[in-house]
Structures are given as C-alpha cells and as structure tokens.
Amino acid sequence: MPTYDDDLRLAHVIADQVDSHTMSRFKALDLTVESKPDNTPVSDADRTAEEIIRSHLSRARGRDAIVGEEFGESGHGARRWIIDPIDGTKNFVRGVPVWATLIALADGDEVVVGLVSAPALGRRWWAAKGTGAWSGRSLAAANRLHVSKVAKVEDASLSYSSLSGWEERGQLDAFLDLTRETWRTRAYGDFWSYMLVAEGAVDAAAEPELELYDMAALVPIVTEAGGTFTSLDGSPGPWGGNAVATNGLLHDEILGRLS
C-alpha cells in the first residue's frame, strides 16, 4: 500500500506559511472584500493564500493536479490536491476566529491526506491514509484522535452550519425533527463541526450543500479517527455535494432520518 507521509509533511510546511499570511490579514484594517458571482465573499487574503499553496505545489508536486476554490482546476493526473484557502470567509471578514485552511490530496477517487489549520483558534488537525488522525501544533507534538462511542441519537450531540440550506432542499422538517430528538445541538459550523466529530466532542455533523473543496480535507481526518463520512445518499467521501459525518455508530440512523 502506498504511503503518503511525505505528502502530509509537505501539507504541514505549506500550512505554516499560509497561517503566517492569513493571520497577518485577519482583522486587518485594509482587508479588501468583494462579492463573487454566487454572492459569497472573497478577500485578498483568500486569493493570496491560494496562490501561496499553488506555488508550493507547483515546485514540489509539479505533476499533480490542483483544485482550488478561488482559481479552479489546473493540471491533469490521478493525484489531485484539493484546497480551500480560507474555509469560513464570512467569519474571517467579520473578525470571528472560526476559519481554517483546508489542504487535501486525492489519489484517484480516494482522499488520502487531509490537513485543517485554524491558526486563530491555535489548532491544527491532520490525517493520512492508514496512519490515524491527529491534532496538535506539529507532527512531533500531537495527540491521536478518536470518535465518540455514543450509540443512541437521544444521547448524541449534533452540529450543523445553518437551517436555510435544509429549507432550500425541502428537508427542514426532517432536520428539525432530528434536532429535537438529539441530546444537544449547536451550530459550530464549517470545518469545526467535523473536527469536533473526529475529536469525539461531537457525535454527528451534517450539511445539505457543500463543494468538494469544503469537504475533501475533512474526510480522512474523520475516517482515520474511526468515524464515517458520506453524502446524504450514503455514498462515501466528499463527492456528493453534501455531507453527513458521524462516529459510525449513529450513521445509518441519522441518514435514515434525513432521507
């Protein structure tokens, strides 16, 4: 089985540089923010962060393809780096510290490396295929992650981002019914919901509409921690346009309630 340790180390090196840039622009008085065609915000920090990542990858992994939120897809090949320079841009531009850089590597149809770096929270999470999921400040100073063992929905903590997407999908009633049956719900939102699942602090997370770059880095972290990550139709991985992540024990029941 191929190993991806070198790719993971590269992701850490890239994240270190990106963190320095994004933190220098976080709460900057001269931050430039524009609206993209889909009415979502983008800042100068987003674009420069993606340029930094692409520059590193072009030098170190020139044969690999790249898929990014801001500059689309470039290159060809079975190996694709999937990047979101700032996941949580709305938080970033308003001074809320819940945002992160997401870096993933897909080999064929399997995401084999994922790194999530949230410098304003002082947190980083990562995983490579077959080596477990970890959190810490560096590869040398890390704690292994494990999902929870909660086995009943009525005992579960559920995280989500917003209700509007469920309403647009015509599933708001089903989602609200689920929230009423769980022990606790909180809208931690974006990447953080899924990292909390991997840590065992939250038992399930779900979102009705996501892009590939929103999800790819999250998948190996959740699954290497012992969890399950699928789309709402049960297809594994980040390819379905939406996400349900759980500790595995709750997965089938939650999918059933949201179908």
Side-chain angles (χ1 to χ4, degrees):
M1 185 177 70
T3 61
Y4 300 94
D5 293 346
D6 288 344
D7 297 302
L8 180 59
R9 281 191 287 269
L10 175 62
H12 275 279
V13 170
I14 295 172
D16 288 342
Q17 185 170 348
V18 174
D19 286 354
S20 296
H21 169 70
T22 52
M23 285 300 290
S24 73
R25 302 301 294 151
F26 184 49
K27 299 185 180 180
L29 296 180
D30 63 342
L31 185 73
T32 301
V33 183
E34 303 171 1
S35 289
K36 294 193 285 190
D38 62 0
N39 291 321
T40 60
V42 60
S43 72
D44 61 85
D46 294 78
R47 292 191 173 112
T48 302
E50 184 162 326
E51 288 170 346
I52 291 170
I53 298 169
R54 286 176 176 271
S55 177
H56 271 280
L57 291 174
S58 67
R59 293 193 302 269
R61 297 291 187 274
R63 296 183 178 180
D64 294 349
I66 302 173
V67 180
E69 178 176 10
E70 306 307 334
F71 299 110
E73 186 166 359
S74 61
H76 304 280
R79 285 170 48 105
R80 289 180 293 162
W81 292 87
I82 304 168
I83 54 179
D84 189 343
I86 298 179
D87 182 56
T89 298
K90 293 177 183 177
N91 285 345
F92 184 90
V93 302
R94 290 296 301 272
V96 179
V98 184
W99 50 270
T101 295
L102 313 185
I103 302 173
L105 172 63
D107 195 350
D109 291 330
E110 184 179 15
V111 185
V112 294
V113 170
L115 181 145
V116 174
S117 190
L121 295 176
R123 299 294 308 278
R124 185 178 290 185
W125 303 262
W126 62 88
K129 181 180 179 181
T131 63
W134 304 82
S135 178
R137 294 189 177 275
S138 69
L139 284 166
N143 296 308
R144 189 159 188 171
L145 304 180
H146 301 279
V147 296
S148 74
K149 297 182 180 179
V150 173
K152 296 180 180 179
V153 167
E154 57 265 34
D155 296 329
S157 178
L158 170 69
S159 182
Y160 61 99
S161 285
S162 70
L163 297 177
S164 58
W166 295 103
E167 186 172 26
E168 292 168 4
R169 191 180 169 87
Q171 289 183 289
L172 181 58
D173 288 343
F175 185 75
L176 290 176
D177 286 344
L178 175 62
T179 66
R180 294 184 185 106
E181 293 178 35
T182 59
W183 167 65
R184 192 170 191 253
T185 59
R186 286 292 184 273
Y188 297 111
D190 300 318
F191 71 93
W192 205 14
S193 294
Y194 303 91
M195 298 303 93
L196 291 171
V197 171
E199 292 180 353
V202 165
D203 310 303
E207 289 182 82
E209 185 176 2
L210 291 168
E211 299 292 341
L212 174 61
Y213 48 74
D214 295 319
M215 296 182 280
L218 315 177
V219 173
I221 299 173
V222 170
T223 57
E224 287 289 326
T228 302
F229 193 114
T230 72
S231 57
L232 284 163
D233 66 6
S235 300
W239 314 108
N242 43 57
V244 177
T246 74
N247 62 5
L249 300 173
L250 299 166
H251 207 81
D252 289 344
E253 184 170 359
I254 288 179
L255 284 181
R257 291 169 187 252
L258 293 176
S259 63

